[in-house]
PDB file of all heavy atoms in Angstrom:
ATOM      1  N   PHE A 119     -23.969  -9.231   7.418  1.00 75.00           N
ATOM      2  CA  PHE A 119     -24.705 -10.318   8.059  1.00 75.00           C
ATOM      3  C   PHE A 119     -24.287 -11.716   7.601  1.00 75.00           C
ATOM      4  O   PHE A 119     -24.603 -12.694   8.268  1.00 75.00           O
ATOM      5  CB  PHE A 119     -26.208 -10.138   7.841  1.00 75.00           C
ATOM      6  CG  PHE A 119     -26.785  -8.985   8.621  1.00 75.00           C
ATOM      7  CD1 PHE A 119     -27.169  -7.826   7.991  1.00 75.00           C
ATOM      8  CD2 PHE A 119     -26.911  -9.061   9.999  1.00 75.00           C
ATOM      9  CE1 PHE A 119     -27.689  -6.754   8.712  1.00 75.00           C
ATOM     10  CE2 PHE A 119     -27.422  -7.997  10.728  1.00 75.00           C
ATOM     11  CZ  PHE A 119     -27.815  -6.845  10.087  1.00 75.00           C
ATOM     12  N   PHE A 120     -23.595 -11.819   6.481  1.00 77.00           N
ATOM     13  CA  PHE A 120     -23.206 -13.143   6.004  1.00 77.00           C
ATOM     14  C   PHE A 120     -21.699 -13.381   6.070  1.00 77.00           C
ATOM     15  O   PHE A 120     -21.266 -14.512   6.254  1.00 77.00           O
ATOM     16  CB  PHE A 120     -23.699 -13.353   4.569  1.00 77.00           C
ATOM     17  CG  PHE A 120     -25.191 -13.499   4.473  1.00 77.00           C
ATOM     18  CD1 PHE A 120     -25.995 -12.397   4.237  1.00 77.00           C
ATOM     19  CD2 PHE A 120     -25.795 -14.735   4.627  1.00 77.00           C
ATOM     20  CE1 PHE A 120     -27.368 -12.517   4.149  1.00 77.00           C
ATOM     21  CE2 PHE A 120     -27.175 -14.873   4.540  1.00 77.00           C
ATOM     22  CZ  PHE A 120     -27.961 -13.758   4.307  1.00 77.00           C
ATOM     23  N   CYS A 121     -20.891 -12.339   5.926  1.00 78.00           N
ATOM     24  CA  CYS A 121     -19.435 -12.488   6.002  1.00 78.00           C
ATOM     25  C   CYS A 121     -18.968 -12.068   7.383  1.00 78.00           C
ATOM     26  O   CYS A 121     -18.324 -11.030   7.546  1.00 78.00           O
ATOM     27  CB  CYS A 121     -18.759 -11.661   4.909  1.00 78.00           C
ATOM     28  SG  CYS A 121     -19.199 -12.124   3.234  1.00 78.00           S
ATOM     29  N   ARG A 122     -19.263 -12.856   8.364  1.00 78.00           N
ATOM     30  CA  ARG A 122     -18.956 -12.479   9.743  1.00 78.00           C
ATOM     31  C   ARG A 122     -17.475 -12.563  10.054  1.00 78.00           C
ATOM     32  O   ARG A 122     -17.024 -12.005  11.055  1.00 78.00           O
ATOM     33  CB  ARG A 122     -19.726 -13.386  10.706  1.00 78.00           C
ATOM     34  CG  ARG A 122     -21.229 -13.403  10.502  1.00 78.00           C
ATOM     35  CD  ARG A 122     -21.837 -12.039  10.718  1.00 78.00           C
ATOM     36  NE  ARG A 122     -21.757 -11.607  12.109  1.00 78.00           N
ATOM     37  CZ  ARG A 122     -22.126 -10.407  12.536  1.00 78.00           C
ATOM     38  NH1 ARG A 122     -22.558  -9.517  11.665  1.00 78.00           N
ATOM     39  NH2 ARG A 122     -22.041 -10.101  13.817  1.00 78.00           N
ATOM     40  N   SER A 123     -16.706 -13.268   9.230  1.00 84.00           N
ATOM     41  CA  SER A 123     -15.278 -13.402   9.502  1.00 84.00           C
ATOM     42  C   SER A 123     -14.434 -12.386   8.738  1.00 84.00           C
ATOM     43  O   SER A 123     -13.209 -12.448   8.775  1.00 84.00           O
ATOM     44  CB  SER A 123     -14.812 -14.815   9.143  1.00 84.00           C
ATOM     45  OG  SER A 123     -15.035 -15.086   7.770  1.00 84.00           O
ATOM     46  N   ILE A 124     -15.068 -11.443   8.064  1.00 88.00           N
ATOM     47  CA  ILE A 124     -14.323 -10.501   7.224  1.00 88.00           C
ATOM     48  C   ILE A 124     -13.436  -9.608   8.088  1.00 88.00           C
ATOM     49  O   ILE A 124     -13.848  -9.096   9.126  1.00 88.00           O
ATOM     50  CB  ILE A 124     -15.292  -9.667   6.357  1.00 88.00           C
ATOM     51  CG1 ILE A 124     -14.536  -8.980   5.238  1.00 88.00           C
ATOM     52  CG2 ILE A 124     -16.055  -8.653   7.168  1.00 88.00           C
ATOM     53  CD1 ILE A 124     -15.416  -8.500   4.118  1.00 88.00           C
ATOM     54  N   GLU A 125     -12.182  -9.451   7.642  1.00 91.00           N
ATOM     55  CA  GLU A 125     -11.201  -8.638   8.359  1.00 91.00           C
ATOM     56  C   GLU A 125     -10.714  -7.448   7.541  1.00 91.00           C
ATOM     57  O   GLU A 125     -10.277  -6.447   8.111  1.00 91.00           O
ATOM     58  CB  GLU A 125      -9.985  -9.503   8.740  1.00 91.00           C
ATOM     59  CG  GLU A 125     -10.333 -10.660   9.677  1.00 91.00           C
ATOM     60  CD  GLU A 125      -9.118 -11.515   9.972  1.00 91.00           C
ATOM     61  OE1 GLU A 125      -8.006 -11.150   9.527  1.00 91.00           O
ATOM     62  OE2 GLU A 125      -9.277 -12.554  10.634  1.00 91.00           O
ATOM     63  N   ASP A 126     -10.772  -7.553   6.232  1.00 91.00           N
ATOM     64  CA  ASP A 126     -10.261  -6.504   5.335  1.00 91.00           C
ATOM     65  C   ASP A 126     -11.354  -6.170   4.325  1.00 91.00           C
ATOM     66  O   ASP A 126     -11.737  -7.009   3.520  1.00 91.00           O
ATOM     67  CB  ASP A 126      -9.001  -7.011   4.641  1.00 91.00           C
ATOM     68  CG  ASP A 126      -8.340  -5.943   3.779  1.00 91.00           C
ATOM     69  OD1 ASP A 126      -8.976  -4.920   3.513  1.00 91.00           O
ATOM     70  OD2 ASP A 126      -7.184  -6.155   3.362  1.00 91.00           O
ATOM     71  N   LEU A 127     -11.864  -4.935   4.382  1.00 88.00           N
ATOM     72  CA  LEU A 127     -12.978  -4.539   3.523  1.00 88.00           C
ATOM     73  C   LEU A 127     -12.662  -3.222   2.835  1.00 88.00           C
ATOM     74  O   LEU A 127     -12.280  -2.238   3.473  1.00 88.00           O
ATOM     75  CB  LEU A 127     -14.262  -4.391   4.349  1.00 88.00           C
ATOM     76  CG  LEU A 127     -15.513  -3.921   3.596  1.00 88.00           C
ATOM     77  CD1 LEU A 127     -15.899  -4.927   2.516  1.00 88.00           C
ATOM     78  CD2 LEU A 127     -16.670  -3.715   4.567  1.00 88.00           C
ATOM     79  N   SER A 128     -12.801  -3.212   1.520  1.00 86.00           N
ATOM     80  CA  SER A 128     -12.605  -1.997   0.727  1.00 86.00           C
ATOM     81  C   SER A 128     -13.879  -1.706  -0.054  1.00 86.00           C
ATOM     82  O   SER A 128     -14.359  -2.558  -0.803  1.00 86.00           O
ATOM     83  CB  SER A 128     -11.424  -2.167  -0.233  1.00 86.00           C
ATOM     84  OG  SER A 128     -11.295  -1.041  -1.082  1.00 86.00           O
TER      85      SER A 128
END
Side-chain angles (χ1 to χ4, degrees):
F119 289 108
F120 290 93
C121 299
R122 304 298 292 175
S123 60
I124 195 162
E125 298 177 5
D126 185 346
L127 178 62
S128 175

